[in-house]
Amino acid sequence: MRANSVAPGPTRSGKVKGIMEEAAEQPGQATPLARMASTAEIAEVVLFLTSDRSGYVTGATLAADGRRTAV
């Protein structure tokens, strides 16, 4: 059995835009990539972890956060 997790950073979604309106992009400016992730980008990380390509990865938390935790 493998147990992994994803730690997403600021993510652009319809719900976020609906709540925050014009301020919705501000959290992404704090990342080294200076933007928010799309939901598709986070989904790609989840897809990787659920695929056979990550067969030797276990007990890991993958940060999909625009390099916030790497600096």
Side-chain angles (χ1 to χ4, degrees):
M1 178 175 85
R2 293 182 289 156
N4 298 300
S5 63
V6 177
T11 305
R12 184 181 341 102
S13 69
K15 190 170 188 175
V16 168
K17 284 185 176 182
I19 293 170
M20 298 178 67
E21 296 175 8
E22 63 273 351
E25 295 296 321
Q26 286 179 352
Q29 298 304 314
T31 69
L33 293 181
R35 66 177 182 84
M36 294 177 74
S38 70
T39 53
E41 289 173 311
I42 303 303
E44 288 291 332
V45 177
V46 173
L47 182 62
F48 167 72
L49 285 176
T50 60
S51 74
D52 290 337
R53 294 181 298 161
S54 68
Y56 204 64
V57 178
T58 188
T61 299
L62 293 186
D65 64 358
R67 208 176 76 206
R68 284 174 89 176
T69 55
V71 293

